[in-house]
Amino acid sequence: MVTARTASSEAGRVHKIVSRTGMHLFLIVASLVAIAPVFIMVSGSLKPITELFVNSWGLPREFTLNNYERLLNYNSGMILHSFLNSVFISTVTTVLQLTVASMAGFAFSKYQFRGKNFLFMMFLLTMMVPGELLLTPQFIIFSNIGWLNSYEVQIIPAIANTFAMFMCRQFMDSIPNEMLEAARVDGAGHWRIYTQMILPTSVPTLGALGILQFLSKWNDYLYPRIMITKVNYKPIMVILPTLTEGGDTSGTPYDLILAGCTLVVIPMMFVFFCLQNKFLDSVTLGSVKG
Amino acid sequence: MAKPKAARGAARYPKRQIAPYLFIFPFLLSFLAFFLVPVVYSVVISLMKYKGYGTMKYVGFDNYRRLFTYNAMWTSLLNTLEYFILAMIPVMILAFLLAVVVRSHALTRWQKVYKPLLFMPQVCAVVASSLVFKVIFGTNVGAINQILGTSFNFLGDTKLMKLPVICMLIWRNTGWYFIIFLSGLTTISDDLLDAAKIDGATSVQTMFHVTIPVMKPIFKLTFITYAIGAFKLYTEPNLILSKEEAPLSVAPFVNMITTNINGGSLGMASAAGWILVLFILALTVMQMRMFKEGE
């Protein structure tokens, strides 16, 4: 009896170790696959183009920063300019989106007023409509009012973000009304309640939302590709795929492109590893609770 | 005066007041100007022949009729469906398996390591990732061909061209759904899993009789969001397979909108936009039905 039990628990332990090793193996392989393209990108950006043709995936044998040098000098500093365009456009858009969304979310969450349900339903229904539908009418309207090729066309039309507003409302519903009531009795006005009680309490939600909105604006490609044709206003994402060198349009300067990709990916990666939890929270904002 | 029941969920402010409208005003204004007006306008344009200049000419449903009899539309639609299904199945299976493994007791301590690593591809910009995949699948510069010692023309051979796109979609999306499934799995209490174990359920039985049923609402939602996203596919195939717009044989549906805008057929572009909406709606309804029947 005794031996049988130890034998079975022994077998159980072996089984446990084997299955745990198997699970780790699975996760390690998956992680390696996840990292591989990023590794290829960064290490490739440090190789001369000739090495890419023989060693595209290993560590650089002949380390060089020449690609970055050429990238920064490309078309008289166009890359840095478009990078700053992207930073500017994404930051301003995100700030405006969050401001407007949190104000509207506050009204929907903490007030009763005529037309509230109608307005809210109308906003919700439109979440299903893809932005691609808007491309054509927006293109016509903006070309008529002379907005094509500008910063405003990349910022202002994106301000009303229904998803952000909905998330703000959902969070603000969890702020107890008693707290606001107490402030109101103490003589705080509507605006003060919003700026001094609602906003500070909403910081975690706004942070996660902000990351999500910033990333989606930063990554945007289709919209600026249609609306912007002048180099001065282009975000970097529209520039990267068009990199060419020496008037040669057939050959692709892979080395230059990899350096450009690294330039846009690494800052995001850095922010991601600093603010991991915020990023991961942002994923589930709309999906699990909803 | 104060009737707590009536005021449930909202502060007890009088009904007639201007403050909430002022708070909503900026949102509403920008919503009307940049969303509602364009949506209505796009219905109008879709019934017109319009080059972007000159006069509009009313043509009824001609644009729609022409699109539906147009080979290009069906080809790009089938391409989109192919990208959607061939990437979604591995993404969902992988994401779910990864989530189950990371959630298991033995590995709780390691969650902190694996979660960010697996999510990382999502942080890489789509444009950058597409360009990197273009390099990875290149004939001469490509890591794949160099490792295999082959010279497949992944980016030019019509039979192979969809593969790099699908690989990238799987690579980039798995982490996102992994996190969603993982947070869904953490809502299943340990008590429930322990109870199943005590009752003698094997881990496979637990998976099919406890985990999957509990996760069902999450699956439903993710399928719908995935499908909507998949129909809006644009950047990946175009940038992996071309510098601007991919050839028709591998083009996604959204190209029907962009090529028509670029070609000055704005009526057609608008109609294509509405067809996209139609397909997304149909797909959503279909998936909701499917899940209902399964219950």
Side-chain angles (χ1 to χ4, degrees):
Chain A
M1 259 301 254
V2 178
T3 39
R5 202 195 286 158
T6 46
S8 83
S9 77
E10 183 73 8
R13 234 186 57 215
V14 171
H15 178 76
K16 233 182 200 167
I17 291 171
V18 169
S19 81
R20 191 183 293 190
T21 318
M23 289 196 281
H24 271 297
L25 213 65
F26 177 49
L27 290 172
I28 289 168
V29 171
S31 305
L32 284 179
V33 173
I35 298 168
V38 181
F39 175 79
I40 288 172
M41 173 184 80
V42 177
S43 87
S45 76
L46 300 168
K47 295 171 191 166
I49 183 113
T50 44
E51 193 182 328
L52 280 176
F53 283 92
V54 286
N55 169 31
S56 162
W57 53 281
L59 279 169
R61 284 177 212 147
E62 196 185 318
F63 179 89
T64 173
L65 286 175
N66 174 271
N67 298 330
Y68 289 95
E69 221 180 294
R70 268 160 48 234
L71 189 73
L72 292 181
N73 291 327
Y74 184 83
N75 219 338
S76 51
M78 169 180 168
I79 296 292
L80 195 64
H81 182 83
S82 64
F83 184 87
L84 294 176
N85 277 349
S86 282
V87 173
F88 173 72
I89 292 162
S90 314
T91 312
V92 176
T93 309
T94 307
V95 170
L96 289 174
Q97 275 177 342
L98 293 186
T99 310
V100 166
S102 64
M103 280 167 67
F106 170 54
F108 279 120
S109 175
K110 299 299 176 197
Y111 289 90
Q112 291 297 347
F113 55 91
R114 214 178 254 268
K116 173 175 163 173
N117 290 333
F118 168 77
L119 281 176
F120 196 69
M121 278 312 290
M122 179 175 79
F123 291 146
L124 269 193
L125 276 178
T126 58
M127 267 166 67
M128 289 283 289
V129 177
E132 286 70 11
L133 174 69
L134 303 178
L135 274 178
T136 321
Q138 284 183 334
F139 178 77
I140 299 173
I141 295 171
F142 297 150
S143 75
N144 283 335
I145 60 173
W147 268 24
L148 296 186
N149 292 316
S150 67
Y151 288 116
E152 51 264 41
V153 79
Q154 299 183 72
I155 295 172
I156 295 173
I159 289 178
N161 188 289
T162 311
F163 172 75
M165 189 276 285
F166 183 65
M167 285 301 130
C168 284
R169 181 196 175 160
Q170 195 146 341
F171 173 77
M172 287 168 190
D173 279 347
S174 71
I175 301 176
N177 292 325
E178 288 72 23
M179 214 170 91
L180 309 184
E181 196 72 0
R184 209 165 73 90
V185 170
D186 287 347
H190 303 279
W191 183 250
R192 237 183 98 194
I193 289 179
Y194 166 72
T195 52
Q196 294 188 3
M197 305 192 71
I198 296 284
L199 282 186
T201 336
S202 310
V203 165
T205 307
L206 291 178
L209 256 179
I211 283 180
L212 208 63
Q213 304 299 57
F214 184 92
L215 257 187
S216 78
K217 196 71 192 170
W218 177 262
N219 285 341
D220 203 5
Y221 172 71
L222 174 55
Y223 181 82
R225 203 181 99 73
I226 299 288
M227 303 296 172
I228 312 293
T229 47
K230 282 208 178 111
V231 165
N232 271 347
Y233 299 101
K234 279 187 181 171
I236 189 158
M237 294 303 170
V238 179
I239 302 268
L240 278 186
T242 61
L243 292 181
T244 43
E245 254 184 347
D248 174 21
T249 46
S250 58
T252 315
Y254 293 108
D255 49 346
L256 211 58
I257 285 182
L258 288 178
C261 292
T262 309
L263 194 71
V264 297
V265 167
I266 293 304
M268 282 295 143
M269 210 67 100
F270 181 74
V271 179
F272 169 58
F273 280 103
C274 293
L275 298 172
Q276 260 179 56
N277 291 330
K278 280 263 161 301
F279 267 84
L280 299 176
D281 285 352
S282 76
V283 177
T284 45
L285 261 184
S287 39
V288 172
K289 268 191 171 172
Chain B
M1 248 301 263
K3 276 194 279 175
K5 255 186 192 164
R8 218 176 107 244
R12 286 156 230 161
Y13 286 120
K15 260 204 164 184
R16 257 166 222 261
Q17 56 175 340
I18 200 159
Y21 297 106
L22 291 179
F23 276 112
I24 289 176
F25 183 72
F27 187 91
L28 185 66
L29 184 73
S30 120
F31 176 85
L32 291 177
F34 299 108
F35 184 88
L36 212 57
V37 169
V39 165
V40 174
Y41 192 37
S42 80
V43 179
V44 178
I45 309 162
S46 77
L47 304 173
M48 304 281 178
K49 192 180 163 98
Y50 184 49
K51 285 183 186 158
Y53 53 85
T55 49
M56 288 191 185
K57 194 183 147 214
Y58 178 77
V59 291
F61 284 95
D62 250 24
N63 290 323
Y64 293 93
R65 211 172 297 138
R66 272 173 62 200
L67 275 171
F68 274 109
T69 53
Y70 206 22
N71 260 339
M73 194 201 84
W74 295 107
T75 313
S76 62
L77 182 69
L78 286 178
N79 288 341
T80 306
L81 275 174
E82 207 176 323
Y83 290 129
F84 161 46
I85 297 194
L86 292 184
M88 182 187 71
I89 295 169
V91 165
M92 292 295 167
I93 294 175
L94 273 173
F96 184 65
L97 284 180
L98 286 169
V100 169
V101 170
V102 167
R103 166 85 174 104
S104 74
H105 275 296
L107 300 181
T108 7
R109 272 185 308 147
W110 292 89
Q111 269 203 27
K112 277 202 190 93
V113 180
Y114 288 123
K115 259 165 79 172
L117 284 180
L118 295 171
F119 184 72
M120 202 182 58
Q122 193 67 47
V123 183
C124 302
V126 194
V127 169
S129 317
S130 304
L131 295 171
V132 172
F133 268 70
K134 187 182 199 150
V135 176
I136 291 176
F137 280 91
T139 311
N140 298 315
V141 292
I144 305 261
N145 273 324
Q146 281 181 20
I147 291 171
L148 297 176
T150 50
S151 52
F152 288 117
N153 186 5
F154 288 113
L155 307 176
D157 185 340
T158 332
K159 279 183 214 138
L160 297 172
M161 278 165 92
K162 281 181 185 137
L163 188 71
V165 179
I166 291 165
C167 285
M168 179 182 151
L169 290 170
I170 297 171
W171 173 76
R172 201 160 178 281
N173 289 332
T174 302
W176 180 269
Y177 291 98
F178 157 72
I179 296 293
I180 288 181
F181 289 151
L182 187 62
S183 69
L185 286 176
T186 40
T187 61
I188 301 175
S189 71
D190 290 333
D191 294 346
L192 193 62
L193 297 175
D194 287 342
K197 209 176 194 178
I198 289 166
D199 287 346
T202 63
S203 42
V204 176
Q205 281 173 325
T206 315
M207 168 105 91
F208 280 99
H209 295 288
V210 181
T211 312
I212 291 180
V214 173
M215 292 284 287
K216 210 164 169 193
I218 295 170
F219 286 143
K220 189 170 158 179
L221 203 75
T222 42
F223 275 126
I224 293 171
T225 49
Y226 192 102
I228 294 176
F231 266 80
K232 301 201 264 184
L233 182 72
Y234 176 77
T235 312
E236 292 90 337
N238 285 316
L239 287 189
I240 295 178
L241 302 173
S242 139
K243 269 186 185 171
E244 283 173 337
E245 301 228 313
L248 180 64
S249 61
V250 290
F253 184 80
V254 174
N255 282 23
M256 285 287 98
I257 301 175
T258 55
T259 47
N260 277 314
I261 292 181
N262 291 335
S265 312
L266 296 171
M268 293 275 270
S270 265
W274 280 104
I275 293 174
L276 177 71
V277 174
L278 219 77
F279 282 130
I280 287 178
L281 268 180
L283 209 81
T284 312
V285 171
M286 232 164 68
Q287 283 189 328
M288 281 173 145
R289 280 253 173 95
M290 247 160 59
F291 273 94
K292 242 186 201 154
E293 270 165 25
E295 260 156 30

